[in-house]
Amino acid sequence: MLLLSRPFVPVLTLLLLLVAPVRAFYLPGVAPTDYEENDPVPLLVNSLTPTIDSESPQLQSVLSYDYYHPAFHFCRPHGGPKKQAESLGAILFGDRIFNSPFDLRMLKNDTCKTLCTQNFEPRAAKFVNRRIRQDYQLNWLIDGLPAARVKYDEGTHSKFYSVGFELGTIDDSEDKNPYLSNHYDIFVEYHETRAGKFRVVGVVVQPSSRRTTIDDAGVVQNCNVGDKLMLNRDIDTKVTFTYSVFWTPSATPWATRWDKYLHVYDPRIHWFSLINSSIVVIFLTGMVGMILLRTLHKDIARYNQLDLDEDVQEDSGWKLVHGDVFRTPEYPLALSVLIGSGAQLFVMTGTTIVFALLGFLSPSSRGALATVVIVLYTLFGFFGGYVSSRAYKTFGGEAWKLNVIATPLVVPGIVFTIFIFLNFFLIGVQSSGAVPVGTMIALVVIWFVISVPLSAAGSYFGFKAPALDPPVRTNQIPRQIPDQPVYLRWVPSMLLAGILPFGAIFVELYFIMNSIWFHKVYYMFGFLFVCYVVMILTCSTVTILITYFLLCSENYHWQWRSFFTAGASAIFVLLHAVMYWISKLSLGGVVSNVLYLGYSLLLSFLVFVLMGTIGFVSSYFFVRQIYQSIKID
Ligand SMILES: *[C@@H]1O[C@H](CO)[C@@H](O)[C@H](O)[C@H]1NC(C)=O
């Protein structure tokens, strides 16, 4: 087998060993912290993110902003805000965590503490009012737990914690007057583990808008006045930020403190759709497989029979093209590079999902998923190089240097270029989502110092390994290809075949998109795993079927076709993203739209490479298998 040939097995073991410390790397964030009474409990602040509320169920922006963006005028800690250390994945996914001036002490209730008074000039007022209207929310962290709002799910009649709380509220009037929340009631739930040792097990914040004033001595006069505060767009507005802290005992132990946050809105949707799609898919796959096997058996028996009888009867069907079926495809270099990158993506996604399934990527370690994705993709560069060079050698390619260079550069290069392009937009609007230069450089260093050499090493082993010999000889002169039926033309066959694997993933895809764009925690890796397996099965069966029909109609250009047929799922992923754009988002501003479409395009491209590779590899082994089983004189 291509994937499991000998040099690869020890290498895989080695890679897994290398990857193992990734988990250890995360353990510190996962260990509980014990506080004693009056110990300071730091409150950290993350970027402001757009979200939706029940009144306007459409997302209006995809940009996030630094908590200390000057226009927000949030109070700064002494000596200026300090950036907290974060993992690469967390930075890429937009976490920008800073310290804050809030002074929280374990078990010490406080009411109406003043943070600072700020002056909102008209420009800042307009900016903040716009963000309030777009449902921006604040994201705080206390002891690693996100500050949440308590919400009630009508469907399951249960309370749950929804991460983040709103920057402000708008009223029902026609003008949609925005009120900035300048007072925070912070409720911290604690759990006593041993006598005198406490742990934080829940954080709820109720923000409110108050027209607070302070006297000359800086003492808050009327913290609890009910009047709401609106930022004036024409003159400066003075705003005093205040907060109260309430420590409440809780029976929730530390180990299960995340449960309240991981609320499934309607678990039945997942089960229902999963079972639904699985049944359809398994049924289809089984049917296709059975038909194929039976027909093939008959074909093979007939072909071999003809041979024995020395019958003069003409050959028909796929046997006819035996002299062409292993002919080198057009652009073998491009195909092998795509297959190498696809194989790399395939093992990376598979391993990541298994890691997640085993619980290594708990939501409490921020950015763990993205970090693991990057680390695994980098390390599996070896595998990508190996598959690419082996495929290239099998195609009879000769420009091996080009193959070694192109494999680690082309697909990551495309991704990186789109990424940099989108990043310029983020920088342009001063969004905190813009990846800092340092992180960009780190990525490039990881790419060129680790991934490229690993890929080159993989290519070395791939070229050293023998090419996969075709089971039948290729004729000198290519056969004429007869006219093809309509359903086997490029576009119809792609559309027909692409929809099935997409059907397997689209429900999970919807939830993944929700979690990405609405900043929700995604953790349903069990569902994801099943979907992934179902997707692979569907993708390979359908592609094999199309390849079979293609060969039966004497078309031996199956290599690129199988890649594109399977890759066609990406078209549906893109269409799905567009539908989502239309139904769930009403993004204001060019930048949000460009970003959304850009990232969707990026995702579709990766899906294309991944699925295409699955399709090609399964077709390859299928074609090998069937031509191996017939006798050819
Ligand atoms: C702090 O406030 C909470 C909520 O009002 C209350 O349940 C708790 O007993 C208070 N703790 C102390 C030490 O006063």
Side-chain angles (χ1 to χ4, degrees), residues 106-155:
M106 184 52 89
L107 298 193
K108 195 160 163 276
N109 282 359
D110 261 320
T111 43
C112 280
K113 284 189 76 166
T114 315
L115 277 174
C116 68
T117 300
Q118 298 279 38
N119 202 21
F120 280 74
E121 61 277 19
R123 224 176 101 95
K126 271 184 214 153
F127 178 88
V128 173
N129 286 346
R130 238 190 99 100
R131 301 287 94 78
I132 295 174
R133 289 206 179 95
Q134 288 178 332
D135 290 326
Y136 269 77
Q137 66 172 15
L138 272 64
N139 296 290
W140 288 357
L141 294 164
I142 295 178
D143 190 49
L145 269 189
R149 301 224 51 195
V150 181
K151 294 213 169 147
Y152 183 73
D153 182 357
E154 306 271 342

Coordinates of all heavy atoms in Angstrom, one line a residue, residues 106-155:
M106 N -10.9 37.1 46.7 CA -11.7 35.9 47.0 C -12.6 36.2 48.2 O -12.1 36.6 49.2 CB -10.8 34.7 47.2 CG -11.5 33.4 47.5 SD -12.7 33.0 46.2 CE -11.8 32.1 45.0
L107 N -13.9 35.9 48.1 CA -14.9 36.0 49.1 C -15.2 37.5 49.6 O -15.9 37.7 50.5 CB -14.5 35.2 50.4 CG -14.3 33.7 50.2 CD1 -14.2 33.0 51.5 CD2 -15.5 33.1 49.4
K108 N -14.6 38.5 49.0 CA -14.8 39.8 49.4 C -15.8 40.5 48.5 O -15.5 40.9 47.4 CB -13.5 40.6 49.4 CG -13.5 41.9 50.2 CD -12.1 42.3 50.6 CE -12.1 43.8 51.0 NZ -12.1 44.7 49.8
N109 N -17.1 40.7 49.0 CA -18.1 41.4 48.3 C -17.8 42.9 48.3 O -17.3 43.4 49.2 CB -19.5 41.2 48.9 CG -20.0 39.8 48.6 OD1 -19.4 39.0 47.9 ND2 -21.2 39.5 49.1
D110 N -18.1 43.5 47.2 CA -17.8 44.9 47.0 C -19.0 45.5 46.2 O -19.5 44.9 45.3 CB -16.6 45.2 46.2 CG -15.4 45.4 47.1 OD1 -15.5 46.2 48.1 OD2 -14.3 44.9 46.7
T111 N -19.4 46.7 46.6 CA -20.5 47.3 45.8 C -20.0 48.7 45.3 O -19.4 49.5 46.0 CB -21.8 47.5 46.5 OG1 -21.5 48.0 47.8 CG2 -22.5 46.2 46.6
C112 N -20.3 49.0 44.1 CA -20.1 50.3 43.5 C -18.7 50.8 43.6 O -18.5 51.8 44.2 CB -21.1 51.3 44.0 SG -22.7 51.1 43.2
K113 N -17.7 50.0 43.2 CA -16.4 50.5 43.2 C -16.1 51.2 41.9 O -16.6 50.8 40.9 CB -15.4 49.3 43.3 CG -15.3 48.7 44.7 CD -14.2 47.7 44.8 CE -12.8 48.3 44.9 NZ -11.8 47.3 45.3
T114 N -15.4 52.3 42.0 CA -15.2 53.1 40.8 C -13.9 52.7 40.2 O -12.9 52.5 40.8 CB -15.0 54.6 41.2 OG1 -16.1 54.9 42.1 CG2 -15.1 55.5 40.0
L115 N -14.0 52.6 38.9 CA -12.7 52.3 38.1 C -12.1 53.6 37.6 O -10.9 53.8 38.0 CB -13.1 51.4 36.9 CG -13.3 49.9 37.1 CD1 -13.8 49.3 35.8 CD2 -12.0 49.3 37.5
C116 N -12.8 54.3 36.9 CA -12.2 55.6 36.4 C -13.4 56.4 35.7 O -14.4 55.9 35.4 CB -11.1 55.4 35.4 SG -11.6 54.7 33.8
T117 N -13.1 57.6 35.4 CA -14.1 58.4 34.7 C -13.4 58.8 33.3 O -12.2 59.2 33.3 CB -14.4 59.7 35.4 OG1 -15.0 59.3 36.7 CG2 -15.4 60.5 34.6
Q118 N -14.1 58.6 32.3 CA -13.5 58.9 30.9 C -14.4 59.9 30.2 O -15.6 60.0 30.4 CB -13.5 57.6 30.1 CG -12.6 56.5 30.7 CD -11.2 56.6 30.4 OE1 -10.6 57.8 30.4 NE2 -10.5 55.5 30.2
N119 N -13.7 60.5 29.2 CA -14.4 61.5 28.4 C -14.5 61.0 27.0 O -13.6 60.7 26.3 CB -13.5 62.8 28.4 CG -14.3 64.0 28.1 OD1 -15.5 64.0 28.2 ND2 -13.6 65.0 27.6
F120 N -15.8 60.8 26.6 CA -16.0 60.3 25.2 C -16.2 61.4 24.3 O -17.3 62.1 24.4 CB -17.3 59.4 25.2 CG -17.0 58.0 25.7 CD1 -16.8 57.7 27.0 CD2 -16.9 56.9 24.8 CE1 -16.6 56.4 27.5 CE2 -16.7 55.6 25.2 CZ -16.5 55.4 26.6
E121 N -15.3 61.7 23.4 CA -15.5 62.7 22.4 C -16.4 62.2 21.3 O -16.6 61.0 21.2 CB -14.1 63.2 21.8 CG -13.3 62.1 21.1 CD -12.5 61.2 22.1 OE1 -12.8 61.2 23.3 OE2 -11.6 60.6 21.6
P122 N -17.0 63.1 20.6 CA -18.1 62.7 19.6 C -17.6 61.6 18.7 O -18.4 60.7 18.4 CB -18.3 64.0 18.8 CG -18.0 65.1 19.7 CD -16.9 64.6 20.6
R123 N -16.4 61.6 18.2 CA -15.9 60.6 17.3 C -16.0 59.2 18.0 O -16.5 58.2 17.4 CB -14.5 60.9 17.0 CG -14.1 60.7 15.5 CD -12.7 61.1 15.3 NE -11.9 59.9 15.2 CZ -11.5 59.4 14.1 NH1 -11.9 59.9 12.9 NH2 -10.8 58.3 14.0
A124 N -15.5 59.1 19.2 CA -15.5 57.9 20.0 C -17.0 57.4 20.2 O -17.3 56.3 20.1 CB -14.7 58.0 21.3
A125 N -17.8 58.5 20.5 CA -19.2 58.1 20.8 C -19.9 57.5 19.6 O -20.6 56.5 19.8 CB -19.9 59.4 21.2
K126 N -19.6 58.0 18.4 CA -20.2 57.4 17.2 C -19.7 56.0 17.0 O -20.5 55.1 16.7 CB -19.8 58.3 16.0 CG -20.7 59.4 15.7 CD -20.4 60.1 14.5 CE -20.7 61.6 14.6 NZ -19.9 62.5 13.8
F127 N -18.4 55.8 17.2 CA -17.8 54.5 17.1 C -18.5 53.5 18.0 O -18.9 52.4 17.7 CB -16.3 54.6 17.3 CG -15.6 53.3 17.2 CD1 -15.1 52.8 16.0 CD2 -15.3 52.5 18.4 CE1 -14.4 51.6 15.9 CE2 -14.7 51.3 18.3 CZ -14.2 50.8 17.0
V128 N -18.5 53.9 19.3 CA -19.1 53.0 20.3 C -20.6 52.7 20.1 O -21.0 51.6 20.2 CB -18.8 53.5 21.7 CG1 -19.5 52.6 22.8 CG2 -17.3 53.6 22.0
N129 N -21.3 53.7 19.7 CA -22.7 53.6 19.5 C -23.0 52.6 18.3 O -23.9 51.8 18.4 CB -23.4 54.9 19.1 CG -23.5 55.8 20.4 OD1 -23.4 55.2 21.5 ND2 -23.8 57.0 20.2
R130 N -22.1 52.7 17.3 CA -22.2 51.7 16.2 C -22.0 50.3 16.7 O -22.7 49.4 16.3 CB -21.2 52.1 15.1 CG -21.8 52.4 13.8 CD -20.7 52.5 12.8 NE -20.6 51.2 12.1 CZ -21.1 51.1 10.9 NH1 -21.8 52.0 10.3 NH2 -21.1 49.9 10.3
R131 N -21.0 50.1 17.5 CA -20.7 48.8 18.0 C -21.8 48.2 18.9 O -22.1 47.1 18.9 CB -19.4 48.8 18.8 CG -18.1 49.3 18.0 CD -17.7 48.3 17.0 NE -18.2 48.5 15.6 CZ -17.8 49.4 14.8 NH1 -16.8 50.2 15.1 NH2 -18.4 49.5 13.6
I132 N -22.5 49.1 19.6 CA -23.6 48.7 20.5 C -24.7 48.2 19.6 O -25.3 47.2 19.8 CB -24.1 49.8 21.4 CG1 -23.0 50.2 22.4 CG2 -25.3 49.4 22.1 CD1 -23.3 51.4 23.3
R133 N -25.0 49.0 18.5 CA -26.0 48.6 17.6 C -25.7 47.3 16.9 O -26.6 46.5 16.5 CB -26.3 49.7 16.6 CG -26.9 50.9 17.1 CD -27.7 51.7 16.1 NE -28.3 52.9 16.7 CZ -27.8 54.1 16.6 NH1 -26.6 54.3 16.1 NH2 -28.4 55.1 17.2
Q134 N -24.4 47.0 16.7 CA -24.0 45.7 16.1 C -23.9 44.6 17.1 O -23.4 43.5 16.7 CB -22.7 45.9 15.4 CG -22.8 46.8 14.1 CD -21.5 47.0 13.4 OE1 -20.4 46.9 14.1 NE2 -21.5 47.2 12.1
D135 N -24.5 44.8 18.3 CA -24.5 43.7 19.3 C -23.1 43.2 19.7 O -22.8 42.0 19.8 CB -25.3 42.5 18.8 CG -26.7 42.8 18.8 OD1 -27.2 43.6 19.6 OD2 -27.4 42.3 17.9
Y136 N -22.1 44.1 19.8 CA -20.8 43.7 20.3 C -20.9 43.2 21.7 O -21.7 43.7 22.5 CB -19.8 44.8 20.1 CG -19.1 44.7 18.8 CD1 -19.8 45.1 17.6 CD2 -17.8 44.1 18.6 CE1 -19.2 45.0 16.4 CE2 -17.2 44.0 17.4 CZ -17.9 44.5 16.3 OH -17.3 44.4 15.1
Q137 N -20.0 42.3 22.1 CA -20.0 41.8 23.4 C -18.6 41.9 24.0 O -17.6 41.8 23.3 CB -20.6 40.4 23.5 CG -19.7 39.4 22.8 CD -20.2 38.0 23.1 OE1 -21.3 37.8 23.6 NE2 -19.4 37.0 22.8
L138 N -18.5 42.0 25.3 CA -17.3 41.9 26.0 C -16.9 40.5 26.4 O -17.8 39.7 26.7 CB -17.3 42.8 27.3 CG -17.0 44.3 27.2 CD1 -18.0 45.0 26.3 CD2 -17.0 44.9 28.5
N139 N -15.7 40.2 26.4 CA -15.2 38.9 26.7 C -14.2 38.9 27.8 O -13.0 39.3 27.6 CB -14.6 38.2 25.5 CG -15.7 38.0 24.4 OD1 -16.6 37.2 24.6 ND2 -15.5 38.7 23.3
W140 N -14.6 38.6 29.0 CA -13.7 38.6 30.2 C -13.4 37.2 30.6 O -14.1 36.3 30.3 CB -14.4 39.3 31.3 CG -14.5 40.8 31.2 CD1 -14.1 41.6 30.2 CD2 -15.2 41.7 32.1 NE1 -14.4 42.9 30.4 CE2 -15.1 43.0 31.6 CE3 -15.8 41.5 33.3 CZ2 -15.6 44.1 32.2 CZ3 -16.3 42.6 34.0 CH2 -16.2 43.9 33.4
L141 N -12.3 37.1 31.3 CA -11.9 35.8 31.8 C -11.5 35.9 33.2 O -10.7 36.8 33.6 CB -10.6 35.3 31.0 CG -10.8 34.9 29.6 CD1 -9.5 34.8 28.9 CD2 -11.6 33.6 29.4
I142 N -12.1 35.1 34.1 CA -11.6 35.1 35.5 C -11.2 33.6 35.8 O -12.0 32.7 35.6 CB -12.8 35.5 36.4 CG1 -13.1 37.0 36.2 CG2 -12.4 35.3 37.9 CD1 -14.2 37.5 37.0
D143 N -10.0 33.5 36.1 CA -9.4 32.1 36.4 C -9.7 31.2 35.2 O -10.0 30.0 35.4 CB -10.1 31.6 37.7 CG -9.4 30.3 38.1 OD1 -8.1 30.3 38.2 OD2 -10.0 29.3 38.4
G144 N -9.5 31.7 34.0 CA -9.7 30.9 32.8 C -11.1 30.7 32.4 O -11.4 30.2 31.3
L145 N -12.1 31.1 33.2 CA -13.5 30.9 32.9 C -14.0 32.2 32.2 O -13.8 33.3 32.7 CB -14.3 30.7 34.1 CG -14.5 29.3 34.6 CD1 -15.6 29.3 35.7 CD2 -15.0 28.4 33.4
P146 N -14.7 32.1 31.1 CA -15.3 33.3 30.5 C -16.5 33.8 31.3 O -17.3 33.1 31.8 CB -15.7 32.8 29.1 CG -15.8 31.3 29.2 CD -15.0 30.9 30.3
A147 N -16.5 35.1 31.4 CA -17.7 35.8 32.0 C -18.9 35.6 31.1 O -18.8 35.7 29.9 CB -17.4 37.3 32.2
A148 N -20.0 35.2 31.7 CA -21.1 34.8 30.9 C -22.4 35.5 31.3 O -22.4 36.3 32.3 CB -21.4 33.3 31.0
R149 N -23.4 35.4 30.5 CA -24.7 35.8 30.9 C -25.6 34.5 31.0 O -25.4 33.6 30.3 CB -25.4 36.6 29.8 CG -24.6 37.8 29.4 CD -25.5 39.0 29.2 NE -26.4 39.1 30.4 CZ -27.5 39.9 30.4 NH1 -27.9 40.5 29.3 NH2 -28.2 40.0 31.5
V150 N -26.5 34.6 32.0 CA -27.4 33.4 32.1 C -28.5 33.5 31.1 O -29.1 34.6 31.0 CB -28.0 33.4 33.5 CG1 -28.9 32.2 33.7 CG2 -26.9 33.4 34.6
K151 N -28.7 32.5 30.3 CA -29.8 32.5 29.3 C -30.7 31.3 29.6 O -30.3 30.4 30.3 CB -29.2 32.5 27.9 CG -28.4 33.7 27.6 CD -28.5 34.1 26.1 CE -28.0 35.4 25.9 NZ -27.3 35.6 24.6
Y152 N -31.9 31.4 29.0 CA -32.8 30.4 29.2 C -33.2 29.8 27.9 O -33.5 30.5 26.9 CB -34.1 31.0 29.9 CG -35.1 29.9 30.2 CD1 -34.9 29.0 31.2 CD2 -36.3 29.9 29.4 CE1 -35.9 28.1 31.5 CE2 -37.2 28.9 29.7 CZ -37.0 28.0 30.8 OH -38.0 27.1 31.0
D153 N -33.1 28.5 27.8 CA -33.4 27.8 26.5 C -34.9 27.3 26.6 O -35.2 26.5 27.4 CB -32.5 26.6 26.3 CG -32.7 25.9 25.0 OD1 -33.7 26.3 24.2 OD2 -32.0 25.0 24.6
E154 N -35.7 27.9 25.7 CA -37.1 27.5 25.7 C -37.3 26.1 25.3 O -38.2 25.4 25.8 CB -37.9 28.4 24.7 CG -37.7 29.9 24.9 CD -38.7 30.5 25.8 OE1 -39.8 29.8 26.0 OE2 -38.5 31.6 26.3
G155 N -36.4 25.6 24.4 CA -36.6 24.3 23.9 C -36.4 23.2 24.9 O -37.3 22.3 25.1

